[in-house]
Amino acid sequence: MSETKQLTLPITGMTCANCVATVERNLKKLDGVNTAIVNLSSERATVEFDAAKLGLGDMIARVNRAGYGVATGEADLIIKRLADDNDARRLEKALTNLEGVLEAQVTYTTEKARVKYVPTIVTQAELRRAVAAAGFEAVELGGQAEDAEAKAREHEINEQRRLLITGLIFTVPLFLFAMARDFGLLPAMFYETAAMGGMERVPAPWTNWIMLALATPVQFYVGWQYYVGAFKALRNKSANMDVLIAMGSSAAYFYSLPITFGLLAGHVYFETAAVIITLIKLGKFLEARAKGRTSEAIKKLMGLRAKTARVVRAGLEAEVPVDDVRVSDVVLVKPGETIPVDGVVIEGRSAVDESMLTGESLPVEKKPGDPVIGATLNKLGLLKFEATKVGKETALAQIIKLVEDAQGSKAPIQKLADQVSGIFVPAVIAIAVLTFAAWYFLVPQFPNYQFTDSRFTVALINMVAVLVIACPCAMGLATPTAVMVGTGKGAEAGVLFRNSEALERAGKVSVVVLDKTGTITKGQPAVTDIVVSHQSSVSSEQLLRVAASVEKGSEHPLGEAIWAEATTRGLGLAEASGFKAEPGHGVQAEVGGRSVAVGNVRMMQTRGFALNGLESEVTRLQGEAKTAMLVAMDGKVQGVIAVADTLKEGSKEAIEELHRMGLKVAMITGDNQKTAEAIAKQVGIDQVLAEVLPEGKSAEVKKLQSGENVVAMVGDGVNDAPALAQADVGIAIGTGTDVAMAAAPVTLMSGDLRGVARAISLSRKTLRTIKQNLFWAFFYNVILIPAAALGYLNPMLAAGAMAFSSVFVVSNSLRLRKVKI
C-alpha cells in the first residue's frame, strides 16, 4: 500500500543551475519519487515520494552518487536511567526508527548517545522527546537545534575561504611575475639570442619553471574540486560549470607544459590558468556569503523563539527549556519577557507586542480567554496562560515552515532559465570548439590579418575565453534568490506566501475582490434599530426576546448581534426547539409553541409572508447601510431588527492605495443591493456584487476572470474558502479561520486590509527584480560569449566577469530587503 511523504534535504556542493538539474534528475530516477524540486539559493531539495518503495537512505545515497552531499548534524546526549546494555540497544532502536535519523550509537558504560541526523527533517528537541518516550532522560545537548544545517553551510564557506586564500598566496605573485616578464620590467629575466636581422631578447627558461611551480598548487589543490565536480557531472551524462572551468584552466595549463619542458617554442599561460581558478573561487566565495544573507529573514524569525519558559507544575514554579513545555502546561510570563508558546490567557491582563509576526505596530490588549502567540513580547502586566500549541504546532513554527516551503518552490518564470541551463554547457563547449576551429583554420585565410602569436596559441586562448566567460550560475540564481528575499521580506511585514507561484501571480493582479463582512467591516455587527409593524400587537422588547431566543443557536455574526443585544438588556430568553439555519436567508425555530422565522426579505418572500407595511422601513434602513432582519411569528411578519457592521480601521485608506496602484476593486456580499451600495460609497468601491449566496461567491469570481483579468479574492471566513480557491490569487485575512488560510496562497497575519496592497506591491517588486536578474544573466551570456569568440576578451578578464556576474545577481536580489512596501 502506497504512503506518500514529503521530505526536505539540505544539499551541499551545488554551484550552478546544471547542478540543480543533475540533483533533480538523479532523485527522479529513483523508483517511488513523485516529484523532486531543488532550489539553488536555499540549497534544499523537496522530495515527494512513496514511503513503501524507498527511504531516506536511498535518496541520500543517490545524491552522493551524483557528486553532491546532504548536510547532517550530530547530537551528543547524556542519557540517564539506563539499567543495562539491553536498555542501550532498545534506545538505539527507538532513535534509529525516528524519521531523519541516519545513525544512533548508545553506549551503556559511558551513558552517552551520539546521533547523526538530517536537520531539516528532525530537530534535537524531537530527539530528546524520543528519548523520554522510550523511558529515559536526555540531560545534555551538544549544540543548538537550528544550528546543524547552518554549521554544515559555514564549514563549506570556511573551506572556500581557505582555498581562496591559498589561491591568492600563489596567484598574486605569479600574476605580478608574469606581468613584469611580459612588459620587460626586470632585465634579469631575459637573455639575448641571435635571430633573423640581429639579436632578440627572450625570457630566460628558468622564469617558466618558477611560473610552473606557482601555478601547480593552484591548478591541482585549489582547483581540484572542479576536476572532481566535472568527473561526476560527466559520469552522470551531464555537464556543469565545473566542466567549463576544468576545461578552460586545463587547456591553458597543459598547453604551457611542453613549452616549459623545451619541447615547443612559445609563450606560457600558467598565470591565465591560475587567475581563472582563483577569480572563480573568489566569485563563489562572495556569492556564498551573499546567498547566506538571502535567508536572514528566516534566521530572524527563528531568533524570536524564547529559549526557556517558566511553568507551574504540581504547584511549583520551574524554568524549563521551551522544547520541554507540554500542551496544557500553565506558563507564567513577566513584563518584558517573550511569550514562549501559543496559549490562552487564564489570569492577568497585559498589552502584547505582536508586530514581529503580524506587522501591526500597536500592542494588543490581552485578558482572560484571549489567545497569545509564542515569540510575541509581553509589555505591561504578568500573564498566566495555558499552553495550547507547542513545538512544530506553534504559529511561529508554522510561519517558518510556510516561508521555507515558499522559498523551496519554483516560480513559473524560472522554467525558461531551467530549460536554457539544461542545454547551456554543451552549447558553450560546442561554441568553444567552433571558435578554436575558426581561429585555427579560417582566420589565417584572411590576407590582411596579422597574428600576434602562433595561430594555435591564439585559437586556444580564444577558446579558453569562451569556456570561462559562460555563466550558468547567474541564470540558476536569478529567480530563487529574489524569491527567498521576497518571501522573507513578506514574512517580516506579516504577509505569507504559500509558494513562489503565488508570489509571482500576485504581481499580475488587475482586479481585487473584497468580501464585506470581516474584511472591509469588523464583522462584529450591533443592533441599531427595532421597528414593530403597526399591525402587530407585540412590543419591541418582546420582538427582540423572541428573535434572540431563536438566534441563540446561530453562529452567524448578525444572529450573535441580536442575542448580545437581548443579553445586554437583561431579557430572559425562552428555550427554542427545532432550530434550522438556511445559509444566505435566515433561521427558524419553535419558541413558546410559536413558529418563529428571523431572516432577510428573500426568506419572507420565499415563504409567502406579507411584510405588513414594513417595506418603507426596510428600504430606509438598507439605505443607511444597515441589514434589516425581519421577524415573523406563525407566518406573520411582526417587525424588523436592524443590524449594522462598522468599518475596519484603515479599510478606506487600503482601497485608496489599491486604486493608486491602478487596480479595480469589487466588493462581494450576501447583503441586499442598497446596504451594499451604502457601504461601497463610504470606502470607494468600483463594483458591488450584492445578494450573493455563500455558494455563489466562487461563480461570481469566475465571471470576473473572463477576459484578461487576473483576480485576487480577499476573505476571512469559511464561506470564502471556495472563492479563495477559485481566484487567481486567494488572500486570507489572518483574523479569520484556518480553513480560509488553507485555501489561500497568500495569508495576511494581521486583519488590516492595507496588507493586500503590501502583498501586491512586494510581488510586483520581486517580479521586477527577477526580470532584471534574468535579463542580466541572458544579456551577459548573449553579448560576452560572441565577444570572447571574436577574440576581444582575455581569458583572465573573462574569468573575472564570469565570477562577478552571479555576485551581481545575488546582490541585486538583496536590494529587495531595503525596498518599502
Side-chain angles (χ1 to χ4, degrees):
M1 192 172 152
S2 68
E3 185 195 347
T4 303
K5 277 189 180 178
Q6 191 182 69
L7 290 180
T8 301
L9 304 176
I11 309 293
T12 59
M14 294 194 297
T15 54
C16 67
N18 293 82
C19 301
V20 169
T22 302
V23 175
E24 274 184 4
R25 192 172 59 249
N26 273 276
L27 284 169
K28 283 174 183 171
K29 279 180 184 173
L30 287 168
D31 183 34
V33 169
N34 302 329
T35 59
I37 297 171
V38 180
N39 186 299
L40 178 58
S41 186
S42 63
E43 295 179 272
R44 286 182 171 189
T46 304
V47 189
E48 195 178 277
F49 64 101
D50 182 352
K53 289 185 177 177
L54 81 158
L56 175 64
D58 303 315
M59 288 184 266
I60 292 174
R62 191 76 202 198
V63 170
N64 289 334
R65 194 181 150 208
Y68 305 92
V70 173
T72 56
E74 273 197 4
D76 290 312
L77 313 175
I78 291 175
I79 310 295
K80 273 189 174 179
R81 299 205 286 269
L82 284 173
D84 54 26
D85 201 48
N86 284 336
D87 276 357
R89 299 287 74 76
R90 186 163 63 82
L91 178 58
E92 209 169 85
K93 191 177 179 185
L95 287 168
T96 310
N97 288 341
L98 206 61
E99 188 161 52
V101 171
L102 303 174
E103 286 171 29
Q105 289 177 317
V106 183
T107 313
Y108 167 61
T109 49
T110 59
E111 293 190 324
K112 277 187 180 177
R114 171 162 282 189
V115 187
K116 190 178 178 187
Y117 64 100
V118 179
T120 51
I121 300 171
V122 67
T123 64
Q124 290 194 4
E126 286 168 310
L127 296 179
R128 286 175 72 182
R129 281 199 282 274
V131 171
F136 308 103
E137 187 187 348
V139 291
E140 193 180 302
L141 275 169
Q144 284 293 312
E146 284 88 18
D147 286 343
E149 187 184 358
K151 220 172 177 181
R153 304 278 182 228
E154 201 179 322
H155 174 73
E156 218 176 328
I157 289 177
N158 289 340
E159 185 64 17
Q160 294 290 344
R161 184 192 283 116
R162 194 177 58 77
L163 290 171
L164 171 62
I165 291 167
T166 307
L168 289 168
I169 288 168
F170 287 99
T171 302
V172 173
L174 170 59
F175 180 73
L176 294 173
F177 185 84
M179 291 303 102
R181 191 186 79 157
D182 290 352
F183 291 109
L185 301 178
L186 295 174
M189 291 183 177
F190 296 87
Y191 69 95
E192 293 193 344
T193 183
M196 286 176 66
M199 302 298 285
E200 185 186 5
R201 288 176 82 224
V202 294
W206 60 267
T207 58
N208 291 347
W209 288 99
I210 285 178
M211 289 169 78
L212 170 65
L214 289 169
T216 302
V218 179
Q219 189 71 29
F220 298 109
Y221 177 67
V222 179
W224 183 246
Q225 76 177 74
Y226 297 125
Y227 285 107
V228 173
F231 168 73
K232 286 175 176 174
L234 294 170
R235 188 181 68 188
N236 284 298
K237 298 184 178 66
S238 69
N240 61 2
M241 185 198 79
D242 294 338
V243 173
L244 297 177
I245 295 162
M247 284 178 71
S249 62
S250 297
Y253 181 87
F254 288 109
Y255 165 73
S256 304
L257 284 180
I259 296 168
T260 305
F261 297 147
L263 304 174
L264 283 176
H267 186 286
V268 293
Y269 287 94
F270 287 123
E271 79 283 6
T272 300
V275 167
I276 286 170
I277 286 171
T278 305
L279 276 176
I280 304 288
K281 193 63 78 181
L282 173 64
K284 282 287 145 199
F285 173 67
L286 292 175
E287 180 195 308
R289 277 183 55 182
K291 248 179 9 188
R293 280 162 53 210
T294 62
S295 58
E296 267 179 12
I298 285 269
K299 288 173 191 161
K300 207 184 280 183
L301 284 171
M302 285 177 169
L304 293 173
R305 277 183 74 205
K307 301 287 180 280
T308 58
R310 199 177 288 104
V311 298
V312 180
R313 288 177 184 163
L316 296 171
E317 201 180 299
E319 197 162 302
V320 299
V322 74
D323 293 320
D324 289 351
V325 178
R326 297 189 290 266
V327 171
S328 77
D329 267 346
V330 173
V331 184
L332 287 173
V333 188
K334 291 179 180 176
E337 289 183 343
T338 299
I339 293 169
V341 294
D342 297 3
V344 176
V345 177
I346 53 175
E347 200 178 296
R349 286 173 180 268
S350 184
V352 175
D353 179 5
E354 297 180 347
S355 60
M356 60 288 293
L357 296 184
T358 65
E360 288 277 7
S361 54
L362 292 173
V364 182
E365 294 294 325
K366 298 291 178 185
K367 59 186 185 302
D370 286 344
V372 287
I373 309 170
T376 56
L377 188 67
N378 182 26
K379 302 281 278 186
L380 300 173
L382 178 74
L383 284 178
K384 188 185 274 191
F385 71 92
E386 184 184 332
T388 54
K389 288 181 178 178
V390 298
K392 284 184 175 177
E393 299 302 312
T394 62
L396 179 68
Q398 298 285 355
I399 290 167
I400 290 169
K401 185 173 187 321
L402 203 62
V403 176
E404 285 180 340
D405 288 350
Q407 292 180 345
S409 63
K410 279 195 180 181
I413 199 169
Q414 197 179 332
K415 288 194 176 88
L416 175 65
D418 287 351
Q419 286 166 353
V420 172
S421 60
I423 57 161
F424 183 77
V425 176
V428 169
I429 293 169
I431 293 167
V433 171
L434 288 172
T435 300
F436 180 87
W439 280 94
Y440 190 78
F441 297 109
L442 296 179
V443 175
Q445 309 304 318
F446 295 111
N448 299 325
Y449 190 84
Q450 294 292 311
F451 276 106
T452 52
D453 215 320
S454 74
R455 65 180 183 172
F456 180 83
T457 305
V458 172
L460 182 82
I461 290 306
N462 290 335
M463 181 187 81
V464 170
V466 170
L467 289 171
V468 296
I469 193 70
C471 187
C473 315
M475 281 188 286
L477 289 166
T479 304
T481 51
V483 166
M484 277 191 83
V485 179
T487 49
K489 175 88 178 169
E492 287 175 4
V495 179
L496 301 177
F497 293 93
R498 193 164 292 279
N499 51 44
S500 44
E501 185 175 353
L503 180 64
E504 184 182 325
R505 284 193 78 82
K508 297 172 181 173
V509 165
S510 56
V511 178
V512 178
V513 182
L514 305 172
D515 181 53
K516 190 205 80 168
T517 308
T519 304
I520 297 173
T521 61
K522 285 181 179 173
Q524 295 165 345
V527 172
T528 56
D529 303 75
I530 301 172
V531 182
V532 179
S533 168
H534 298 305
Q535 301 168 28
S536 174
S537 57
V538 299
S539 69
S540 60
E541 289 214 336
Q542 283 175 317
L543 188 79
L544 178 61
R545 192 179 78 86
V546 169
S549 299
V550 175
E551 293 286 9
K552 193 165 63 171
S554 171
E555 290 180 358
H556 195 283
L558 299 177
E560 286 176 356
I562 292 171
W563 175 82
E565 180 67 19
T567 308
T568 307
R569 293 190 185 193
L571 301 178
L573 302 184
E575 278 301 313
S577 59
F579 176 84
K580 187 183 169 194
E582 294 179 22
H585 290 90
V587 292
Q588 70 174 56
E590 292 277 331
V591 178
R594 301 183 74 175
S595 172
V596 181
V598 183
N600 54 25
V601 174
R602 201 164 37 205
M603 182 185 197
M604 302 303 152
Q605 286 171 343
T606 306
R607 281 167 169 67
F609 297 169
L611 298 189
N612 288 344
L614 290 168
E615 293 90 341
S616 59
E617 287 297 328
V618 169
T619 306
R620 176 182 68 81
L621 293 168
Q622 288 176 348
E624 293 170 6
K626 295 169 183 175
T627 302
M629 304 287 284
L630 295 155
V631 184
M633 296 183 197
D634 294 329
K636 287 182 181 173
V637 175
Q638 304 291 333
V640 59
I641 299 174
V643 177
D645 197 355
T646 50
L647 290 176
K648 262 189 188 178
E649 194 185 331
S651 290
K652 195 167 189 284
E653 293 88 335
I655 290 161
E656 283 170 2
E657 182 59 34
L658 292 171
H659 282 142
R660 273 197 294 274
M661 293 168 72
L663 299 166
K664 183 182 172 186
V665 184
M667 180 179 82
I668 195 164
T669 178
D671 282 353
N672 64 79
Q673 191 73 30
K674 282 185 179 169
T675 306
E677 280 175 359
I679 286 181
K681 201 173 177 183
Q682 288 177 42
V683 291
I685 296 286
D686 301 314
Q687 185 179 354
V688 177
L689 305 166
E691 298 177 40
V692 180
L693 294 174
E695 59 271 22
K697 285 183 180 179
S698 57
E700 289 295 332
V701 169
K702 198 170 185 178
K703 277 185 206 167
L704 287 170
Q705 286 172 313
S706 58
E708 297 296 305
N709 287 337
V710 177
V711 178
M713 169 72 195
V714 186
D716 80 326
V718 179
N719 292 339
D720 304 325
L724 290 173
Q726 172 63 45
D728 297 294
V729 181
I731 302 176
I733 290 272
T735 48
T737 61
D738 289 338
V739 179
M741 288 197 184
V746 184
T747 301
L748 305 179
M749 287 298 292
S750 83
D752 191 340
L753 197 54
R754 285 171 286 205
V756 177
R758 281 203 291 269
I760 294 170
S761 171
L762 176 63
S763 172
R764 285 180 177 180
K765 283 169 179 169
T766 305
L767 205 53
R768 189 167 68 216
T769 302
I770 290 170
K771 285 175 179 173
Q772 287 168 354
N773 287 348
L774 287 171
F775 173 78
W776 166 259
F778 285 108
F779 169 82
Y780 163 89
N781 284 301
V782 165
I783 297 296
L784 292 188
I785 290 174
L790 293 169
Y792 293 119
L793 274 179
N794 176 291
M796 289 186 281
L797 287 175
M802 185 271 196
F804 288 98
S805 66
S806 49
V807 176
F808 170 84
V809 163
V810 179
S811 304
N812 190 44
S813 294
L814 285 171
R815 286 192 314 121
L816 265 175
R817 292 189 310 170
K818 295 186 173 66
V819 300
K820 284 187 178 178
I821 57 166

